[in-house]
Amino acid sequence: MSHSRVSRRTFLKTGASALVPLTARAARREGPVVIASANGAACVAEALRQIQEGADALDAVIAGVNLVEADPNDTSVGFGGLPNADGVVQLDSAVMHGPTGRAGGVAALEGVMYPSRVARLVLQRTDHVLLVANGAQAFARMHGFPIENLLTERAREIWVRWRENLSNRDDYLPPHRPEDRNIGEDIRRSYDHWGTIHCSGIDLAGNISSVTTTSGLAFKIPGRVGDSPIIGAGLYCDNDVGAAGSTGRGEANLENLASFLIVERMRQGDSPQDACLYACQRIADHTRLRRLLNDQGEPAFNVSFYALNKAGVVGGARIRGAGGRMAVADAGGTRMVDLAYLYA
């Protein structure tokens, strides 16, 4: 089957299921279920364990992503996350609680290992939805969070290597070896990524909650905020319908509020996978800048979506390429599920 770009009109006429192999279609499942992006296998297992012990879905999914936020070997989230262009780790996170419909988020937060916990406090202890930068840090400190240096030695060395090879017209010089080629391009290719973890879950009461947390784009302009802490973009949850979240190019998602779109498509009857594919197509249709397109006129970047509906059906999709996966945990155990995709 061809995976070339189709027009939005054709997509709407044929339906998402006509575009790609249905590798991620799931049957109806009973009881609690938790989903996460591919880096969340341990996350979904921990969240499901807590749900099975009676935890609210919000507390459980936050506990799950805390494992990744505290992992120094994950350079895309929390402690160990790659820093901004100035060498400072700035974290973004948001949460949404289905039973109350409330949300909370933090952006450009420095020095706090668990931004998802601070986001939950914004939901619980303020009349606001989003706190940023110094204000978010002051709020976290007020609630007893220690302010720590989140730049690990590994992340610092990667940042220094990127800085030294950023330009041949500045005064930063890397160690030179005869076998080195264009190190700067190699580093940018390896680390210019959008690392994030999203997690959504349904608890024993049938309530749904979500969290997304990230250190954002590696070497970003200081103060840059992506989609992760923005309700409707990085995540969205409706207790009567389902939940969705994303990883990937945040700017593309911000311009399309795709997680909200996915939940609304599920409200209209789409399966989670088809709703995610619809969002991918929406982004593709709205991507018009030449610098963001490949030679075939397709988006040259990736965004991935993960969704579940009220019945516990799960599914996901990405813009580009086979091989994308999502983590799922339910009564049948923990497993990885393939994502559908628009373009090979």
Side-chain angles (χ1 to χ4, degrees):
M1 179 180 292
S2 171
H3 301 290
S4 60
R5 182 174 179 177
V6 297
S7 71
R8 181 167 175 241
R9 176 176 296 178
T10 302
F11 180 86
L12 291 170
K13 181 178 179 181
T14 61
S17 59
L19 290 175
V20 296
L22 296 185
T23 55
R25 188 177 294 281
R28 181 187 177 100
R29 304 186 187 281
E30 300 297 330
V33 58
V34 184
I35 63 170
S37 43
N39 53 344
C43 164
V44 295
E46 175 61 19
L48 182 66
R49 183 190 70 79
Q50 294 204 14
I51 285 172
Q52 289 172 332
E53 293 179 354
D56 178 89
L58 181 61
D59 294 335
V61 296
I62 290 173
V65 300
N66 285 169
L67 299 178
V68 183
E69 288 175 325
D71 182 1
N73 294 315
D74 190 315
T75 58
S76 69
V77 179
F79 180 54
L82 293 180
N84 64 21
D86 288 344
V88 178
V89 178
Q90 292 184 318
L91 306 178
D92 303 333
S93 184
V95 301
M96 195 161 185
H97 187 233
T100 62
R102 294 235 39 224
V106 291
L109 173 62
E110 299 177 10
V112 179
M113 188 181 298
Y114 300 109
S116 62
R117 296 183 186 179
V118 185
R120 177 174 54 191
L121 277 173
V122 173
L123 179 158
Q124 294 172 335
R125 304 294 293 272
T126 80
D127 191 39
H128 306 318
V129 172
L130 183 63
L131 299 179
V132 303
N134 292 340
Q137 187 189 76
F139 176 78
R141 186 188 296 111
M142 181 179 77
H143 285 278
F145 285 86
I147 307 304
E148 309 171 76
N149 178 16
L150 303 182
L151 186 66
T152 62
E153 184 63 14
R154 179 188 180 200
R156 186 196 63 79
E157 289 177 354
I158 293 170
W159 170 68
V160 169
R161 184 170 165 84
W162 170 81
R163 187 74 178 256
E164 289 172 338
N165 291 278
L166 183 61
S167 171
N168 61 5
R169 295 183 297 276
D170 59 29
D171 295 326
Y172 295 100
L173 299 176
H176 176 71
R177 298 175 302 170
E179 64 270 25
D180 286 341
R181 294 172 291 103
N182 190 340
I183 304 175
E185 282 302 309
D186 292 342
I187 294 171
R188 184 169 288 278
R189 189 177 302 113
S190 298
Y191 295 108
D192 273 11
H193 68 287
W194 299 267
T196 302
I197 183 168
H198 169 77
C199 185
S200 288
I202 303 175
D203 62 25
L204 292 171
N207 292 320
I208 308 171
S209 290
S210 300
V211 58
T212 302
T213 184
T214 186
S215 58
L217 176 65
F219 322 128
K220 60 194 173 186
I221 295 173
R224 177 263 188 185
V225 175
D227 63 321
S228 296
I230 305 303
I231 305 304
L235 77 170
Y236 194 75
C237 169
D238 186 309
N239 213 43
D240 295 328
V241 179
S246 71
T247 61
R249 178 175 164 80
E251 282 72 13
N253 195 13
L254 280 169
E255 291 168 344
N256 291 275
L257 291 178
S259 290
F260 176 79
L261 175 64
I262 289 166
V263 172
E264 291 307 297
R265 291 295 301 187
M266 291 194 293
R267 190 190 307 278
Q268 296 173 37
D270 278 4
S271 71
Q273 178 177 278
D274 285 356
C276 290
L277 280 166
Y278 187 96
C280 290
Q281 187 66 49
R282 174 69 63 86
I283 290 175
D285 290 344
H286 287 183
T287 301
R288 301 182 181 114
L289 291 178
R290 185 67 192 88
R291 63 181 175 82
L292 297 176
L293 300 171
N294 63 17
D295 292 339
Q296 289 72 48
E298 305 161 352
F301 55 83
N302 226 336
V303 183
S304 299
F305 297 104
Y306 320 90
L308 55 78
N309 66 16
K310 184 72 171 179
V313 180
V314 307
R318 68 198 309 210
I319 293 176
R320 298 209 60 86
R325 310 187 85 189
M326 61 188 289
V328 179
D330 56 19
T334 300
R335 64 195 179 280
M336 302 302 290
V337 172
D338 292 337
L339 299 180
Y341 53 94
L342 285 182
Y343 307 109

